[in-house]
């Protein structure tokens, strides 16, 4: 409700007893912020980018409505931000689990193709590194390391690496 209208209504006798001013949704704002933080730490900005951005946008709109004392809009926006943050958290958890599963499968297939890795200390260290990268969920580094290791092993075997892909300009 605009402040000018609120001031006019406050001057009417007994109306204050009927109409109570709406309370700011501070508790909902804090709760929403907790859900956003939880989603952030689960990797939502990386694994659920669109949902994360939507949740952030709704949260900012809620803060703006709160600052303008438009509490009903603030409640709506904070509620939407909370709901979307929960979805983002679930989606990022699911994607992380799927990527971890794929990386483990890739490592197992790689080890089946290269059993000689278990026979040398250097190979065992590389395997340990790859497993730790999977557990740390550093999938880009894992893919880079496994590619480098495959190229190194192919060179030892005398297999030529695949030609670089041509880029069109």
């Amino acid at each position: 409700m605009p402040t000018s209208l609120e001031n006019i209504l406050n001057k009417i006798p007994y109306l204050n007893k009927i109409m109570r001013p709406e309370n700011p949704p501070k508790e909902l704002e804090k709760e929403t912020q907790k859900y956003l933080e939880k989603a952030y730490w689960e990797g939502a900005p990386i694994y659920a980018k669109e949902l994360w951005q939507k949740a952030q946008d709704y949260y900012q709109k809620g803060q703006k409505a709160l600052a303008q004392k438009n509490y009903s809009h603030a409640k709506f926006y904070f509620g939407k931000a909370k709901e979307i943050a929960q979805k983002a958290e679930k989606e990022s958890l699911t994607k992380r689990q799927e990527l971890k599963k794929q990386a483990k499968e890739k490592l197992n297939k790689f080890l089946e193709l290269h059993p000689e890795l278990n026979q040398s200390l250097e190979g065992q260290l590389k395997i340990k590194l790859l497993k730790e990268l999977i557990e740390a969920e550093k999938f880009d580094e894992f893919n880079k390391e496994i590619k480098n290791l495959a190229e190194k092993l192919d060179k030892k075997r005398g297999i030529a690496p695949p030609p670089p892909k041509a880029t069109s300009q």
Side-chain angles (χ1 to χ4, degrees):
M1 184 174 346
T3 358
S4 58
L5 181 60
E6 196 174 304
N7 290 335
I8 293 170
L9 292 175
N10 283 336
K11 294 178 183 176
I12 299 173
Y14 303 108
L15 192 60
N16 289 339
K17 292 182 181 179
I18 299 170
M19 289 181 61
R20 291 201 172 102
E22 201 175 359
N23 292 329
K26 289 287 186 181
E27 206 53 45
L28 181 59
E29 179 187 22
K30 287 179 185 176
E31 190 178 331
T32 303
Q33 195 171 24
K34 286 179 186 175
Y35 278 100
L36 285 167
E37 287 175 10
K38 198 173 175 184
Y40 174 83
W41 289 110
E42 291 297 337
I46 298 168
Y47 301 107
K49 289 178 186 175
E50 289 178 19
L51 288 174
W52 172 252
Q53 190 57 51
K54 253 187 186 178
Q56 289 283 38
D57 291 345
Y58 275 116
Y59 183 73
Q60 289 172 357
K61 286 178 183 179
Q63 286 184 317
K64 187 176 179 182
L66 187 64
Q68 294 172 347
K69 296 184 179 182
N70 193 343
Y71 301 136
S72 60
H73 283 106
K75 284 179 187 175
F76 171 78
Y77 289 132
F78 287 141
K80 282 296 260 186
K82 179 180 153 185
E83 176 188 324
I84 294 170
Q86 287 173 318
K87 287 179 185 176
E89 178 190 1
K90 286 179 186 175
E91 185 176 311
S92 70
L93 277 171
T94 304
K95 283 189 178 179
R96 284 176 38 217
Q97 288 172 345
E98 182 60 33
L99 287 170
K100 193 178 243 187
K101 180 182 170 189
Q102 289 173 357
K104 284 180 180 179
E105 288 173 0
K106 187 174 185 176
L107 179 60
N108 289 335
K109 287 179 184 176
F110 185 77
L111 292 175
E112 285 175 13
L113 293 172
H114 302 284
E116 70 273 11
L117 282 174
N118 286 318
Q119 297 168 357
S120 70
L121 181 61
E122 184 184 354
Q124 290 173 356
L125 289 173
K126 285 290 185 180
I127 292 170
K128 185 171 175 69
L129 172 68
L130 291 170
K131 286 180 179 178
E132 287 179 2
L133 288 172
I134 292 172
E135 287 308 311
E137 296 179 356
K138 297 187 177 200
F139 305 113
D140 291 337
E141 288 179 47
F142 167 79
N143 287 323
K144 192 177 184 181
E145 282 294 324
I146 205 164
K147 182 182 175 191
N148 290 340
L149 185 57
E151 288 174 358
K152 186 177 178 181
L153 291 171
D154 287 345
K155 278 184 183 178
K156 278 186 180 179
R157 288 183 176 175
I159 301 171
K165 295 179 182 175
T167 56
S168 60
Q169 292 181 351

